[in-house]
Amino acid sequence: MRHLHIPMNRRSLLGGLSLGGLAAATPAWAAGSVRLPLPGGPDERMLTTAFPGKGSMILQRTRPPLLETPMEVFDEGVFTPNDRFYVRWHWASIPTEVDAASFRLKVHGHIEKELSFSLDDLARLPQFEIAAVNQCSGNARGLFEPRVSGAQWANGSMGNARWTGVRLKDVLDRAGVKAGAVQVRFNGLDEPVVEDAPDFKKSLDLDHARDGEVMIAYAMNGEQLPLLNGFPLRLVVPGWYSTYWVKMLSDIEVLDHADEQFWMKTAYRIPDTPGANVRPGEKGYPTVPINRMVPRSLLTNVKADASVKAGASLSVRGIAFGGDCGVRSVEVSPDGGQSWVAANLGKDEGTYSFRRFEANLPALAAGRHELKVRCTNTLGVAQPLEPTWNPNGFMRSVVETTPVVAS
């Protein structure tokens, strides 16, 4: 495997742009707007280029920054450019700069030897690389009906990158995990903004943490991690939702007990039901921490309510991913799900990566049509025709529909 050399320079996060100043958004830094297909509205959202290291992004929130990737970016290729990769933070107290020379990653807890890694120390460990989708648990929350509270994302709080760094297993093995260890907890440099608020920490079971795929990344898509995406280090948990992908990772703690702190015991929990699906208003069901992603697929070259030529075949393309495994097949329907056309799959970039698909649909008669796309993963799990629902708006899973008008 080639060795990727990424110079770790002291980087300014905001470059003189104050997050506090952004809280009162003004047209001076607006970059147009975009309409999102959100049934609960508002569907008109501002675009911004004001965040350092980022191109044109959909602004969902300024403090903490929540920036959504526009859908047209996903049509450009299976790897999401770093400057268009979505941003999601929990607390607004984000370091404005990180000194790479003095930064240390602490490893402690139920281990034989406490360790403190510099970035140079990590760079000397065996390098590991994997392509994986990073997706917010609430991606497409704005499409839930009935509406639920939280950030009203469309489909752009996700991205796919080739992550480079070191296996978490190699770091833990150097520390020597003691018998009786149960979980591994991760913390970053961001901090709560009010006293007594819970610091954002996430945990994985020990066997998962040591599976050889969970990694500590210092680069994405062959470049240094952007600070807004977690410089200098972020945890990468392939196939799992991004709540576990801790940014600005600075602390790894091995636990001899199950993690009972807020972000595991209370937040980011889903119904312990098939597809995390419950009826609106339903109560009394058990919950578990959110975990594995589910398959999804989206058309990227045809927008909702687009005009297409009647009587002519229609070429469509898009992206799919299998969630916690690879893509087995993608099908596209020109008639609302009555018939299906098998799509041609593009290059397989890895189990956890986006995969491009293309299909030629038969000629459409004049009128309105519903195009649908369905992914089936390598475990045989297919997107359902009816949308799942839960009160947190997590894990959207449904055959997505794109209406078009042929004339």
Side-chain angles (χ1 to χ4, degrees), residues 8 98 103-105 117-119 122 164-166 188 216-219 225 227 229-236 245-250 252:
M8 295 292 182
V98 177
F103 174 85
R104 296 294 183 272
L105 172 64
F117 288 90
S118 69
L119 295 176
L122 290 172
T164 305
V166 300
I216 301 167
Y218 46 68
L225 280 168
L227 282 177
N229 293 110
F231 175 87
L233 301 172
R234 90 173 293 173
L235 194 69
V236 170
W245 296 44
V246 173
K247 296 181 290 296
M248 291 188 177
L249 178 66
S250 60
I252 298 175

Side-chain angles (χ1 to χ4, degrees), residues 30-60:
S33 64
V34 64
R35 294 186 68 85
L36 302 179
L38 305 181
D43 55 6
E44 189 81 16
R45 296 300 171 91
M46 183 181 296
L47 293 169
T48 179
T49 57
F51 287 81
K54 293 296 175 182
S56 180
M57 302 290 288
I58 301 169
L59 180 65
Q60 290 286 359

Side-chain angles (χ1 to χ4, degrees), residues 85-230:
F85 209 99
Y86 88 102
V87 174
R88 195 270 191 264
W89 290 82
H90 292 84
W91 296 118
S93 183
I94 306 167
T96 57
E97 61 182 12
V98 177
D99 186 350
S102 62
F103 174 85
R104 296 294 183 272
L105 172 64
K106 181 180 180 181
V107 184
H108 62 111
H110 197 65
I111 57 176
E112 299 291 344
K113 178 176 61 175
E114 289 195 2
L115 298 174
S116 178
F117 288 90
S118 69
L119 295 176
D120 286 340
D121 292 335
L122 290 172
R124 284 190 283 269
L125 295 179
Q127 191 176 94
F128 179 67
E129 188 172 87
I130 195 169
V133 172
N134 174 280
Q135 179 183 210
C136 179
S137 307
N139 191 26
R141 181 185 286 119
L143 303 179
F144 272 57
E145 295 182 276
R147 182 172 177 162
V148 298
S149 61
Q152 298 299 296
W153 303 102
N155 285 306
S157 58
M158 65 176 181
N160 183 46
R162 185 172 280 113
W163 307 93
T164 305
V166 300
R167 289 180 175 87
L168 176 60
K169 179 182 185 300
D170 290 344
V171 169
L172 294 176
D173 285 353
R174 288 192 171 232
V177 176
K178 290 182 178 179
V182 174
Q183 289 190 321
V184 184
R185 183 160 61 194
F186 309 92
N187 194 9
L189 295 176
D190 53 323
E191 298 177 345
V193 294
V194 295
E195 189 176 354
D196 297 328
D199 192 7
F200 184 76
K201 301 178 183 181
K202 297 294 292 189
S203 295
L204 296 173
D205 289 345
L206 179 63
D207 287 348
H208 185 189
R210 299 186 70 254
D211 70 0
E213 291 184 332
V214 176
M215 66 175 292
I216 301 167
Y218 46 68
M220 59 187 289
N221 293 325
E223 300 176 353
Q224 181 176 286
L225 280 168
L227 282 177
L228 281 170
N229 293 110

